[in-house]
């Protein structure tokens, strides 16, 4: 057990096993919510780190700090053991680091949870012959079923929905497209390791037409007559698919309007963010 005595020049005097020891503190920066962030970068003995952590927590507690975040790069992952013994828990992991969290005040913590949702797209691409771009997958739940489906895929970290849809279509079929709008979206749960998923149905306009399927993931790809796609037993039986077909039909009849991306200024200099909304109806309401 470590207890605070005093602090001076990045060092801490603490009680350790009934003795006063001078211990170096962990380097930290304040976050925006009354807590601190520690990013470890140098290798150290596990016992030394444990003592530094105890001393630092004692200081942060005396300062009224709340949450503590420790980012441990994968090459220093052995240090996680000492943090867990001190009461830290795993918050999330990325390919090159582990993030641990700790709550100093008494009572339940108010730290934000790890990301709860993945984001994916469904790409609806129709040419001027009323043919839709469809694929058969080599893996996943549709493997070997003979079902023709629209290109789908996950949106990458830091990638806009509109850019992710264009990329996925290009990767799976080599077709270049222009993003038109988000037609609809739905939410599913326990999709991947207990995480939820947000699926955005996107309409894109083809700019090229010669298909080259992605060998690693796609069994086959084609331009399929719209009526043939609708006639598939899976589409006829699956409630979500039937509802989406109704949306596509209404869009074709110009009685349904989705949500095109409207660029907005981002809080990051030199970058744009997008607000997806029905700007057509908004403009008409102002006339």
């Amino acid at each position: 057990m470590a207890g605070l005595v005093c602090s001076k020049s990045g060092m801490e005097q603490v009680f350790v096993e009934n003795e006063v020891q001078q211990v170096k503190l962990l380097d930290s920066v304040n976050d925006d919510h009354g807590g601190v962030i520690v990013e470890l970068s140098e290798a150290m003995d596990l016992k030394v780190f444990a003592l530094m952590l105890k001393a630092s927590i004692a200081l942060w507690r005396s300062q009224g700090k709340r949450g503590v975040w420790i980012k441990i790069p994968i090459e220093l992952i052995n240090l996680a053991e000492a943090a867990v013994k001190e009461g830290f828990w795993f918050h999330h992991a990325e390919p090159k680091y582990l993030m641990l969290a700790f709550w100093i005040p008494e009572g339940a913590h108010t730290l934000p949870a790890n990301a709860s949702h993945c984001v994916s797209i469904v790409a609806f691409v129709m040419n001027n012959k009323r043919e839709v771009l469809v694929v058969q997958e080599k893996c996943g739940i549709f493997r070997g079923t003979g079902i023709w489906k629209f290109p789908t895929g996950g949106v990458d970290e830091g990638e806009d929905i509109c850019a992710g849809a264009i990329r996925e279509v290009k990767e799976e079929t080599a077709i270049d497209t222009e993003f038109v709008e988000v037609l609809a979206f739905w939410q599913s749960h326990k999709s991947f390791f207990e995480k939820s998923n947000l699926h955005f149905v996107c309409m894109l306009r083809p700019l090229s037409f010669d298909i080259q399927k992605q060998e690693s993931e796609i069994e086959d790809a084609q331009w399929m007559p719209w009526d043939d796609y609708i006639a598939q037993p899976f589409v006829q039986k699956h409630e979500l698919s039937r509802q989406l077909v109704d949306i596509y039909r209404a869009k074709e009849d110009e009685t349904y309007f989705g949500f095109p991306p409207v660029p907005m200024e981002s809080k990051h200099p030199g970058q744009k963010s997008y607000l997806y909304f029905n700007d057509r109806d908004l403009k008409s309401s102002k006339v």
Side-chain angles (χ1 to χ4, degrees):
M1 181 69 180
L4 173 66
V5 177
C6 63
S7 174
K8 183 178 180 181
S9 300
M11 303 293 291
E12 193 81 22
Q13 288 186 356
V14 295
F15 285 116
V16 180
E17 298 179 354
N18 298 320
E19 295 183 0
V20 176
Q21 295 186 18
Q22 187 162 302
V23 179
K24 183 180 178 181
L25 298 173
L26 293 171
D27 292 331
S28 65
V29 296
N30 295 328
D31 65 20
D32 294 330
H33 306 282
V36 295
I37 302 170
V38 176
E39 293 196 27
L40 301 178
S41 59
E42 297 181 1
M44 65 185 79
D45 180 79
L46 184 61
K47 292 183 178 180
V48 171
F49 171 69
L51 198 56
M52 293 174 67
L53 181 58
K54 288 178 182 290
S56 298
I57 291 174
L59 176 64
W60 297 327
R61 181 175 283 113
S62 74
Q63 294 173 336
K65 299 299 183 183
R66 294 156 55 84
V68 180
W69 302 91
I70 296 185
K71 184 177 180 180
I72 304 180
I74 193 169
E75 61 269 19
L76 303 180
I77 197 62
N78 64 301
L79 300 180
E81 178 185 354
V84 170
K85 288 182 177 178
E86 197 60 36
F88 282 75
W89 65 87
F90 290 6
H91 186 268
H92 67 273
E94 294 291 340
K96 293 185 178 181
Y97 73 85
L98 172 68
M99 185 68 78
L100 300 177
F102 181 76
W103 186 247
I104 294 177
E106 296 292 332
H109 75 81
T110 59
L111 296 176
N114 182 24
S116 60
H117 286 67
C118 298
V119 177
S120 63
I121 63 92
V122 178
F124 176 71
V125 186
M126 179 181 282
N127 63 23
N128 56 11
K129 299 178 182 179
R130 295 189 77 248
E131 297 171 329
V132 288
L133 184 63
V134 292
V135 299
Q136 290 183 337
E137 296 178 331
K138 286 185 175 180
C139 56
I141 61 174
F142 294 110
R143 176 185 177 184
T145 62
I147 294 173
W148 291 96
K149 59 183 287 291
F150 298 137
T152 59
V155 177
D156 292 338
E157 182 177 350
E159 184 178 45
D160 292 305
I161 293 170
C162 51
I166 292 172
R167 175 185 54 77
E168 281 292 344
V169 172
K170 180 70 171 179
E171 288 179 356
E172 293 190 1
T173 67
I175 296 296
D176 294 313
T177 57
E178 176 187 8
F179 190 90
V180 178
E181 59 192 21
V182 171
L183 293 175
F185 72 91
W186 81 93
Q187 183 182 25
S188 61
H189 301 291
K190 297 186 182 300
S191 299
F192 189 70
F193 291 108
E194 304 302 313
K195 298 297 183 182
S196 299
N197 206 335
L198 286 172
H199 311 262
F200 289 84
V201 183
C202 303
M203 181 177 183
L204 299 97
R205 184 178 298 112
L207 301 177
S208 63
F209 303 95
D210 294 331
I211 295 173
Q212 297 180 31
K213 67 183 179 72
Q214 183 182 31
E215 292 296 336
S216 60
E217 296 185 11
I218 302 303
E219 186 67 37
D220 202 358
Q222 66 166 327
W223 290 104
M224 188 177 200
W226 176 229
D227 291 339
D228 291 350
Y229 171 81
I230 296 173
Q232 292 185 101
F234 174 81
V235 175
Q236 293 293 319
K237 295 178 181 179
H238 193 245
E239 182 180 7
L240 176 62
S241 296
R242 294 199 310 271
Q243 186 65 63
L244 291 177
V245 165
D246 289 341
I247 292 174
Y248 303 143
R249 283 171 169 163
K251 180 63 183 177
E252 190 176 24
D253 294 338
E254 297 187 353
T255 59
Y256 179 90
F257 300 94
F259 307 96
V262 178
M264 301 284 171
E265 290 295 331
S266 169
K267 65 179 180 180
H268 302 291
Q271 296 184 14
K272 293 284 186 181
S273 60
Y274 293 92
L275 178 63
Y276 297 81
F277 67 98
N278 186 339
D279 60 341
R280 176 185 177 277
D281 288 350
L282 182 64
K283 291 175 182 177
S284 63
S285 68
K286 293 181 179 180
V287 176

